[in-house]
């Protein structure tokens, strides 16, 4: 059934919120579990539809997968993999499925994975993935919508990435774990999720160094060197950054727990530049405070440690109600300003000029019915709704459920008046959790 989020803006967020495990790390750890013919336990795995999709995909490959919601733990045993094909149904709903290519090829010297097409935010090419796997000795062909990769054996190699693609870095790392000899990957992505994947593989008995820098060295090990492991996923810096944007947009003051503050340096420095305050409370918590007037900032999205593309959308919403003119330059995706039209319906003064959003701050937004076109655009509309005058409805909320665990509950705890509703067969709104009558 289709769901929507209904919210009434105008309340300053306050209190505290605990961030979940990182979606974009947990999905890759789950894919890496395919390298091991034994059991791995992964903790701090958020309850998200993307995690559910990855669980189903691993099961179709023959893995035993058990997700325990209350413990946020997934236990995977990939001893009995009997299928090396990742069907289009999975890759079309979740591009992260494509990452099983490296694990399957690395372990079985063979993989068939549906080719992801473009998506709503951009072209999202995979040429660097293929180039890297070929450099390791795989023959890769594209046939009937699938990438088919085969190798007699994989051998370590020197690989230079033309751009620091997160997915290509991960696929190459995964394929190189069991290759013969060393792989040196230059201009690699440096995101915290890459470090998490390397740490996970090393805990399994792999030999990877340099993750988090632009040169990663993967020394091949033998399958029998790999061992069962228990591992805890890093916190979700993008979820944390979205709550930061929401607190700033509502001029609130709240504590964000279970984060690594240094993963958010580019984001928190922009909040300070706007006139907000960030206090580090302990190694895993910060307080964000944004009372009073906030000014404009310019933001340029870049690979880590630059400002993350995944957070530009929620920050457009926060800047839409800050004084002055802000310019956001999007350098990663061709089409990541799709929320601007919806924000204009809420009264924002935002224009797109090629890869830039020009945001002229207005005093306030007004609630409206809007549609989420992708995960982060959906989050941006919720942030806008939280600071808008009146009631907003954000439709197609399934996009948001891919990446934000319990977003309605977490924002309610921060004092927001927000609820989730679904349409029944008669197309009438049905309450599915406590809702303030003023919202109906
Ligand atoms: C990961 O996508 C994340 N997804 C994205 O998060 C995130 O936006 C992105 O990294 C950048 O940080 C997951 O981890 C599941 P890329 P990925 O390969 O790996 C181009 C979210 O909202 N490129 O670094 O697909 C590509 O076209 C999502 O949670 C090539 O040209 O990102 C894109 O423009 C969205 N050739 C850019 O690089 C290639 O072979 C970045 O892609 C590969 C990529």
């Amino acid at each position: 059934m289709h769901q929507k989020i209904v919210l009434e803006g105008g309340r300053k967020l306050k209190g505290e919120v605990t961030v979940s495990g990182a979606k974009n790390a947990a999905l890759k750890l789950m894919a890496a579990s395919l390298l091991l013919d034994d059991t791995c336990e992964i903790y701090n795995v958020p309850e998200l539809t993307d995690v559910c999709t990855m669980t189903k995909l691993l099961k179709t490959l023959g893995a035993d997968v058990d997700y325990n919601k209350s413990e946020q733990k997934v236990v995977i045993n990939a001893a009995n993999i009997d299928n090396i094909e990742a069907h289009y149904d999975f890759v079309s709903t979740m591009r992260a499925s494509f990452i099983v290519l490296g694990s399957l090829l690395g372990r079985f010297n063979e993989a068939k994975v549906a080719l992801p097409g473009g998506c709503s935010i951009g072209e999202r090419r995979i040429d660097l993935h293929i180039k890297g796997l070929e450099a390791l000795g795989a023959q890769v062909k594209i046939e009937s919508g699938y990438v088919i990769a085969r190798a007699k054996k994989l051998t370590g190699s020197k690989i230079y990435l033309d751009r620091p693609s997160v997915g290509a870095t991960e696929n190459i790392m995964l394929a190189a774990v069991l290759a013969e000899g060393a792989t040196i990957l230059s201009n690699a992505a440096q995101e915290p999720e890459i470090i998490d994947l390397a740490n996970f593989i090393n805990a399994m008995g792999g030999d990877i160094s340099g993750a988090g820098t632009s040169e990663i060295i993967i020394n091949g090990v033998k399958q029998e060197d790999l061992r069962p492991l228990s591992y805890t996923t890093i916190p979700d810096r993008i979820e944390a950054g979205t709550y930061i944007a929401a607190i700033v947009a509502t001029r609130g003051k709240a504590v964000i727990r279970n984060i690594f503050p240094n993963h958010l340096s580019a984001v928190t420095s922009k909040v300070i530049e706007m006139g907000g305050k960030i206090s580090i409370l302990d190694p895993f918590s910060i307080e964000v405070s944004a009372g009073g007037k906030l000014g404009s900032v310019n933001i340029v999205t870049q690979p880590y440690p630059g400002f993350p593309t995944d957070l530009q959308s929620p920050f457009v919403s926060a800047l839409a109600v800050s004084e002055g003119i802000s310019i956001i330059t999007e350098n990663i995706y061709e089409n990541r300003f799709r929320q601007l039209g919806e924000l204009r319906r809420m009264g924002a003064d935002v224009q797109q000029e090629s890869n830039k959003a020009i945001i002229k701050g207005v005093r306030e937004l007004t609630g409206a019915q809007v549609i989420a076109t992708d995960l982060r655009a959906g989050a941006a509309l919720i942030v806008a709704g939280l600071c808008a005058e009146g009631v907003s409805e954000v439709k197609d909320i399934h996009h948001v459920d891919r990446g934000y665990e319990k977003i309605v509950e977490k924002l309610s705890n921060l004092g927001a008046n927000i609820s989730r509703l679904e349409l029944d067969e008669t197309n009438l709104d049905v309450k599915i959790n406590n809702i303030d009558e003023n919202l109906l």
Side-chain angles (χ1 to χ4, degrees), residues 95-159:
R95 294 178 63 88
S97 317
F98 191 64
I99 226 71
V100 300
L101 175 64
S103 304
L104 289 171
L105 179 67
R107 178 158 163 211
F108 301 105
N109 284 339
E110 193 178 6
K112 182 175 175 188
V113 178
L115 183 68
C119 82
S120 64
I121 59 174
E123 200 186 341
R124 306 193 74 181
R125 302 176 59 196
I126 52 143
D127 54 315
L128 301 173
H129 300 237
I130 292 179
K131 183 179 146 188
L133 299 181
E134 284 176 341
L136 295 174
Q139 307 245 314
V140 184
K141 62 179 179 180
I142 292 172
E143 214 173 78
S144 309
Y146 279 78
V147 176
I148 302 171
R150 286 198 185 92
K152 284 210 174 68
K153 68 168 186 177
L154 294 173
T155 313
S157 177
K158 279 192 173 174
I159 301 168

Side-chain angles (χ1 to χ4, degrees), residues 24 28 124-125 127-128 165-167 310 332-333 376:
N24 287 345
K28 318 304 171 61
R124 306 193 74 181
R125 302 176 59 196
D127 54 315
L128 301 173
S165 153
V166 172
D310 296 343
I332 309 297
Y333 296 113
R376 308 301 170 190

